Amino acid sequence: MAHPSPHDPTAERWNDVDAYLTGTLVAPDEALSASIASLADEGMPEIEVAPLTGKLLHLLARIADARRVLEVGTLGAYSTIWLARALPAGGRVVTIEAEPHNAEVARRNLARAGVADRVEVREGRGADVLPTLAGDEPFDLVFIDADKESNALYLDWAARLGRPGTVVVVDNVVRSGHVVETDAGAQVDGVRAGLAVLRDDPRFEATALQTLDRKGWDGVAIAILV
Ligand code: DHB
Ligand code: MG
């Protein structure tokens, strides 16, 4: 078939583009592939970030010279591995996971990736674990990818646990376009509340990017602490 030049993205074309960009720019990696496979094998939701987004997190951490990284929502540690591999010697990722079984699978995946020594998986709800991190050295990058209802709370903790210049990334800010709806349920309400914090709270300067990839139509917000 000739290659049509669609004015609007079709799922077939954006998946082809995702496969092309991923195949071009993201090297295949056994530990990352195994962490993705573990989700299905362990009956966990297959909602890890797309490879291009995992590498975006990795590059942001390197651009920011991040030594201390905080993640809220570990799942199977796919994004955690990307972040851990961005750290210099002595660097650390603290990643918070509410589901004990997810945390157990994540620890296995981190060990297989050879980064268990620089990642601390903290089991518990973000609302309970985040306050225990106060007083430690500030985090240089924070990735928020957990229950969307709590995005505003997690952003408040990101601001408290960071310092001016800390990079803050929020996953899933488009939700197949539902983000523009004011009656789309608690998760979308949570995404919108988080974006309102990024707009209104003077501690943040933020933007957002829509993404079309193997995870569908979604997006990431990227912010800096002022
Ligand atoms: C969901 C959560 C995520 O973090 C994600 O990347 C995709 C989907 C969800 O809860 O549906
Ligand atoms: Mg996500």
Side-chain angles (χ1 to χ4, degrees):
M1 196 177 85
H3 295 291
S5 196
H7 293 284
D8 295 311
T10 61
E12 187 186 8
R13 180 59 64 102
W14 90 57
N15 278 296
D16 284 350
V17 171
D18 181 57
Y20 167 69
L21 293 176
T22 303
T24 303
L25 298 174
V26 184
D29 181 272
E30 266 182 41
L32 287 171
S33 298
S35 79
I36 293 173
S38 74
L39 299 176
D41 293 346
E42 297 284 342
M44 292 157 65
E46 295 174 70
I47 54 172
E48 82 288 354
V49 298
L52 291 164
T53 303
K55 191 160 184 182
L56 173 66
L57 293 167
H58 173 91
L59 290 172
L60 287 171
R62 287 174 61 178
I63 290 165
D65 267 328
R67 215 174 53 74
R68 283 176 52 78
V69 170
L70 172 63
E71 177 178 65
V72 188
T74 315
L75 191 64
Y78 177 77
S79 49
T80 323
I81 293 168
W82 272 115
L83 288 164
R85 287 177 172 172
L87 298 177
R92 194 146 196 85
V93 179
V94 176
T95 182
I96 302 173
E97 175 53 50
E99 287 288 333
H101 177 244
N102 293 358
E104 176 200 320
V105 173
R107 287 193 180 100
R108 255 194 331 259
N109 288 333
L110 291 162
R112 179 166 35 208
V115 295
D117 57 328
R118 49 193 130 137
V119 180
E120 194 180 328
V121 181
R122 296 285 302 269
E123 247 176 82
R125 310 278 328 161
D128 298 322
V129 175
L130 286 162
T132 71
L133 302 174
D136 292 356
E137 257 185 279
F139 290 99
D140 307 307
L141 185 147
V142 181
F143 178 47
I144 297 171
D145 188 18
D147 58 304
K148 312 312 167 194
E149 294 87 338
S150 303
N151 274 7
L153 176 76
Y154 297 151
L155 282 165
D156 179 57
W157 276 107
R160 295 185 197 211
L161 299 174
R163 41 105 185 139
T166 290
V167 176
V168 181
V169 181
V170 185
D171 194 29
N172 309 116
V173 298
V174 173
R175 307 288 304 198
S176 303
H178 290 297
V179 68
V180 298
E181 299 167 11
T182 53
D183 58 353
Q187 292 196 13
V188 171
D189 288 351
V191 170
R192 291 174 62 90
L195 290 166
V197 168
L198 292 176
R199 175 194 61 203
D200 295 334
D201 188 322
R203 295 175 295 179
F204 294 97
E205 196 65 61
T207 189
L209 299 171
Q210 300 190 55
T211 51
L212 281 175
D213 56 34
R214 65 195 60 189
K215 315 315 288 191
W217 179 20
D218 217 320
V220 288
I222 301 175
I224 194 165
L225 290 183
V226 176

